[in-house]
Amino acid sequence: MEKTATLIKPEAMIFDMDGTLFQTETLLLPAYHKLFDILREEGHYEGETPDEELMLGCLGMLLEDIWKKVIPDATPAAHNRANELLLQLELEGLSDEAAVLYPEVKETLEELHRRGVRLFVASNGLEDYVKGISQARGLMPLFEGIYSAGEHGTASKVDLVRLLLDQHEIKDAWMVGDRSSDVEAGKENGQTVIGCRYAGFGKDQELKGSDVVIHSFSQLLKLHDQAE
């Protein structure tokens, strides 16, 4: 754990989904390869499937921006079809027990909930995807709200988190996530940022500006214990 600030106990914690609560690659990569098989069959794409590391490096971005980076030369129709297929294949894949949360995520969230911390999700993903994971892995009862760019049409995570804070009248929160967009969302909204460095998707400077960087999800409980 790398701590650079004295923390105040929050009334709420806001979590990113991919790379923070959910081991995205356990669901994404099988769906990703099936998706490109179908795109080729349907005539939307030719050639080899782009390197999966390219897709993993885009996690945290809005879906429309992901396809511009992964298949930049594809048509808008191909991008739209990729959106449809990815959601469909990932929702189907949630029935596979190989698609998992990070270690101790559920237990840690349950303990934070027991302590009276208000828990939320803020994700740049699609609504059905974000809520589908929460439902399939038994997290839904723990969250007071699940916010996604797909549902609210926000242009950035800064806007999404601002909407969440305003609608629930939250003054003091910890933004917990693994990407620079999470750091920005927390800081631009005047909140504490807990960076997560266990997913390994981001670059070295990804979490620059975080108040604390944790290396396992359960370290949140220790941070909460130590907060004033």
Side-chain angles (χ1 to χ4, degrees):
M1 195 177 342
E2 301 150 38
K3 194 172 176 183
T4 60
T6 301
L7 301 183
I8 306 299
K9 272 192 170 55
E11 58 181 295
M13 292 190 194
I14 304 168
F15 300 94
D16 174 49
M17 178 62 79
D18 290 323
T20 300
L21 302 179
F22 186 62
Q23 290 194 49
T24 314
E25 70 275 20
T26 63
L27 177 66
L28 172 63
L29 294 183
Y32 180 71
H33 289 285
K34 288 180 189 174
L35 180 153
F36 275 94
D37 288 341
I38 296 171
L39 288 181
R40 278 188 286 265
E41 288 171 10
E42 295 180 350
H44 286 295
Y45 184 79
E46 296 179 358
E48 297 296 313
T49 299
D51 192 311
E52 59 189 33
E53 291 300 321
L54 183 59
M55 184 69 176
L56 291 174
C58 292
L59 291 176
M61 296 167 60
L62 294 169
L63 203 52
E64 63 190 62
D65 295 327
I66 289 176
W67 297 125
K68 288 174 186 175
K69 194 161 185 176
V70 174
I71 43 175
D73 298 328
T75 64
H79 287 176
N80 289 335
R81 183 60 176 143
N83 284 345
E84 294 171 1
L85 286 170
L86 187 62
L87 178 60
Q88 174 193 325
L89 293 167
E90 287 188 320
L91 291 178
E92 289 172 3
L94 282 173
S95 61
D96 189 338
E97 292 184 1
V100 294
L101 302 170
Y102 283 101
E104 301 182 89
V105 161
K106 189 174 183 183
E107 297 85 347
T108 301
L109 291 175
E110 287 172 341
E111 175 58 21
L112 290 168
H113 186 265
R114 189 191 68 76
R115 294 181 184 188
V117 181
R118 301 168 69 188
L119 306 178
F120 298 85
V121 170
S123 168
N124 274 338
L126 296 173
E127 178 183 6
D128 289 346
Y129 169 76
V130 178
K131 290 182 177 176
I133 292 169
S134 302
Q135 188 70 52
R137 295 299 171 260
L139 302 181
M140 195 68 90
L142 300 173
F143 294 124
E144 189 173 330
I146 295 178
Y147 281 62
S148 63
E151 178 177 6
H152 294 284
T154 45
S156 72
K157 186 162 283 189
V158 172
D159 295 338
L160 186 65
V161 170
R162 182 177 297 122
L163 178 68
L164 188 162
L165 293 168
D166 289 345
Q167 289 189 347
H168 293 272
E169 299 182 341
I170 296 166
K171 296 289 186 285
D172 297 305
W174 290 1
M175 179 70 220
V176 184
D178 70 309
R179 304 308 297 262
S180 58
S181 56
D182 299 309
V183 179
E184 182 186 27
K187 288 301 174 184
E188 289 291 320
N189 285 293
Q191 306 301 323
T192 296
V193 174
I194 312 298
C196 302
R197 202 188 290 283
Y198 44 79
F201 297 139
K203 301 181 178 70
D204 289 343
Q205 295 298 305
E206 195 83 32
L207 298 175
K208 186 176 181 182
S210 301
D211 297 288
V212 181
V213 174
I214 59 176
H215 297 271
S216 67
F217 192 78
S218 60
Q219 287 180 330
L220 276 174
L221 294 178
K222 186 175 181 181
L223 285 180
H224 189 260
D225 287 338
Q226 294 173 344
E228 298 177 354

